[in-house]
Amino acid sequence: MSGVTSTLVRLKLSLLRNGLKQSGGRRAAYIASAVVTLLFAALQLLGLIALRGHDHAVSLVVLLVAVLGLGWAVMPLFFPSGDETLDPTRLVMLPLRPRPLVRALLAASLVGIGPLFTLLMLVGSVVSVAHGAAAWAVAVLAVALGLLVCVALARAVAAANIRLLSSRKGRDLAVLSGLVIAVGVQVLNFGAQRLGTSGLGQLDPAAAVLRWLPPASAVGAVDSVSKGAYGVAVAQLAVSAAGLALLVAAWARSLTRLMTSPDGSTLQAAEPAARDRRNSAGPARLLPGGRTGTVMERSLRYIWRDPKTKAAWVTSLAIGLIVPVFNAVQGTGSIYFACFAAGMLGVQMYNQFGQDTSAFWMVALTISSPRDAYVELRARALALLLITLPYATLVTVLTTALLGDWPKLPEALGLSLALLGAMLATGAWTSARFPYSIPSEGHKNVAPGQAGLAWIAIFGGMVAAALLCAPVIALTIWLNVSAGGDSWTWLLLPVGAVYGTAITVLGLRLAAPSTAQRLPEILTAVSKG
């Protein structure tokens, strides 16, 4: 091992050791996560070994290794701060050439829980498909190639995007991790159910393609040798080796560019006024004038720019789509599940002033009467409706199409609109009565000591919204159970729209006086974070 390589490996070990010494909580969390990860990997290893001899074992392990490679590719984008050694800009001032640095970083990257987990998965994969001495010999090479491809892939992606990942917008990519994880879990759940009913043979077409893509091609080579297809095995190993060489070359090129080109901190910033003029010529021109348009634009900018607000919206959008659509695809859904879309986005109306944090004092200065408070709340509700109305409609139509139950579309959409109106009404009222602060730093969404307020505001408001929807729900039930009522269910769409609008206006008007009167209390509550 060269001097640079051994130094960086020891540095990686020192970073891990010193990180665990910082606090007992961090050390306990690391040990617990390591134990859980390795236990899961051990169980997967035993399961893969038990799969040995199955007719479709190769299809499963090829797909598994492909998913592992995909995970290594996307994790640096969603969790850029998960491993500090992924940031090559920390080494650009050292007198090191890119290629020796690549070798050293590649060796250091093999230290950690992630590489060990991947190693166990690869070992289990080759054990399940290796038959014969030649296959076992190729399996050793395949495991090494697969592990190096995964690690090099993560490093190449991180190095190519490190400027973006270290910026504010790049860190916002981590917000999408919740969406990816939520969708991924549902896809895996759906796939597992399909495999449970149809068998592993369903994976054969996908595996036939993936076995020619690294790192899965390395495992495919072991199976090819087991079947006597030595020429195919050589080609698959060559594909894996070529993929590794291309990744290392791309990684070295990115390191060279990082070491020789200036970053944004050394270049003159763009003219702010020109940027503002470009922004003002965008969709904001379509908003109404006066205070309403200003508040709507501010709320929409919060959704796009504030990490906490963006995370809440991404999560709501994901769950609102996943629950009805995946249940419909699995054949266990109901058209009424489409109301999840309106319900999840309606929650965003709660704690409106807490999203402003300490900056709410500037908003408070512009509120001198219940009328000002009403316009402020109405504009915030309209900004939310710009996204929620088309989204809830789209999810309802998509769910209906998947279920093929078009006659129930009007009543499902009418219920969604009524629920949305009720949540806007209760959200405006609880925002005035039970405001709480959202810390700008860390992963907490409630400031210490305000958890009770958050529970009352959100869950109490949701219960109140459900009670407010009772008339529309009762009408829906009555029309569905009464004789001849099916022919009148289309009325639920206009009824739900009118009822939701009326209840929203009523809620905003009731919340406005309380907002105007309680400005000092609201400002104190939302500034605690």
Side-chain angles (χ1 to χ4, degrees):
M1 184 179 293
S2 66
V4 176
T5 301
S6 61
T7 299
L8 287 184
V9 171
R10 291 197 303 270
L11 178 62
K12 179 67 175 289
L13 293 173
S14 297
L15 287 173
L16 290 174
R17 183 172 58 254
N18 294 335
L20 296 178
K21 291 180 179 179
Q22 290 183 2
S23 66
R26 181 170 181 174
R27 182 165 54 252
Y30 182 86
I31 293 175
S33 62
V35 170
V36 171
T37 302
L38 295 180
L39 179 61
F40 178 75
L43 293 176
Q44 292 294 313
L45 175 62
L46 294 176
L48 291 171
I49 294 175
L51 199 64
R52 180 178 173 82
H54 193 281
D55 292 338
H56 302 286
V58 63
S59 298
L60 178 62
V61 297
V62 164
L63 189 63
L64 173 64
V65 175
V67 171
L68 277 176
L70 179 62
W72 277 93
V74 301
M75 283 303 105
L77 298 177
F78 291 139
F79 303 102
S81 60
D83 184 358
E84 293 180 346
T85 63
L86 283 174
D87 186 358
T89 59
R90 299 172 181 267
L91 306 173
V92 296
M93 299 302 295
L94 299 178
L96 299 173
R97 294 184 177 274
R99 292 199 175 277
L101 184 59
V102 165
R103 291 194 296 269
L105 287 175
L106 186 61
S109 300
L110 298 176
V111 178
I113 299 176
L116 180 57
F117 175 84
T118 304
L119 177 64
L120 292 176
M121 293 295 96
L122 289 170
V123 169
S125 297
V126 297
V127 168
S128 64
V129 297
H131 301 281
W136 285 108
V138 173
V140 176
L141 179 60
V143 169
L145 275 175
L147 181 59
L148 290 175
V149 166
C150 288
V151 175
L153 181 58
R155 288 291 183 173
V157 170
N161 297 277
I162 194 62
R163 300 291 195 205
L164 172 65
L165 296 177
S166 59
S167 66
R168 182 187 62 83
K169 291 184 178 180
R171 289 190 294 269
D172 287 350
L173 281 173
V175 172
L176 298 178
S177 62
L179 176 61
V180 173
I181 292 172
V183 174
V185 169
Q186 290 296 328
V187 170
L188 291 176
N189 180 42
F190 179 65
Q193 291 184 1
R194 290 290 300 273
L195 291 177
T197 58
S198 304
L200 295 179
Q202 295 284 325
L203 301 177
D204 290 345
V209 177
L210 294 175
R211 67 188 301 158
W212 287 99
L213 298 176
S217 55
V219 178
V222 178
D223 178 69
S224 297
V225 171
S226 299
K227 294 177 179 179
Y230 299 106
V232 174
V234 171
Q236 289 172 322
L237 288 175
V239 168
S240 299
L244 177 60
L246 289 175
L247 289 172
V248 171
W251 183 11
R253 183 176 180 180
S254 297
L255 284 177
T256 302
R257 186 172 64 251
L258 288 171
M259 291 179 173
T260 58
S261 62
D263 61 9
S265 62
T266 62
L267 301 176
Q268 185 175 3
E271 180 64 32
R275 184 173 61 250
D276 292 340
R277 285 195 297 269
R278 289 195 299 269
N279 292 338
S280 63
R285 294 182 302 169
L286 302 177
L287 298 176
R291 179 178 185 134
T292 299
T294 302
V295 175
M296 291 178 66
E297 184 177 0
R298 184 214 314 146
S299 298
L300 294 173
R301 287 184 183 275
Y302 276 163
I303 295 172
W304 181 249
R305 293 183 176 181
D306 180 65
K308 289 291 182 72
T309 306
K310 184 186 293 186
W313 273 89
V314 168
T315 303
S316 297
L317 289 168
I319 296 176
L321 177 66
I322 288 172
V323 171
V325 169
F326 274 83
N327 278 281
V329 171
Q330 294 174 13
T332 59
S334 167
I335 194 171
Y336 301 112
F337 281 176
C339 293
F340 266 92
M344 291 303 302
L345 294 189
V347 172
Q348 303 308 315
M349 187 64 186
Y350 292 76
N351 195 36
Q352 277 292 307
F353 307 127
Q355 298 174 10
D356 299 345
T357 62
S358 58
F360 178 70
W361 72 269
M362 292 186 290
V363 177
L365 290 176
T366 67
I367 300 176
S368 59
S369 66
R371 174 63 185 174
D372 293 336
Y374 172 75
V375 174
E376 175 76 22
L377 290 170
R378 183 186 63 185
R380 292 178 183 240
L382 289 174
L384 189 144
L385 286 172
L386 282 179
I387 302 173
T388 305
L389 273 180
Y391 179 79
T393 303
L394 176 63
V395 171
T396 305
V397 172
L398 180 59
T399 305
T400 304
L402 292 173
L403 294 174
D405 198 2
W406 291 104
K408 289 190 176 295
L409 175 60
E411 59 183 278
L413 190 54
L415 279 173
S416 293
L417 296 177
L419 175 62
L420 179 58
M423 298 199 74
L424 291 178
T426 55
W429 190 82
T430 57
S431 293
R433 300 297 303 180
F434 304 106
Y436 57 90
S437 177
I438 302 177
S440 57
E441 301 293 337
H443 300 285
K444 294 183 178 181
N445 290 320
V446 182
Q450 293 186 327
L453 284 174
W455 280 89
I456 293 173
I458 297 177
F459 291 98
M462 292 172 65
V463 171
L467 294 176
L468 290 175
C469 287
V472 180
I473 296 174
L475 179 60
T476 303
I477 296 174
W478 181 75
L479 288 176
N480 279 278
V481 301
S482 62
D486 291 343
S487 59
W488 295 98
T489 54
W490 62 271
L491 286 172
L492 290 169
L493 177 54
V495 168
V498 172
Y499 184 82
T501 303
I503 204 70
T504 298
V505 174
L506 178 61
L508 294 175
R509 292 195 176 278
L510 291 176
S514 180
T515 301
Q517 295 171 4
R518 303 186 73 252
L519 284 177
E521 292 88 341
I522 295 174
L523 181 58
T524 301
V526 302
S527 300
K528 288 185 176 180

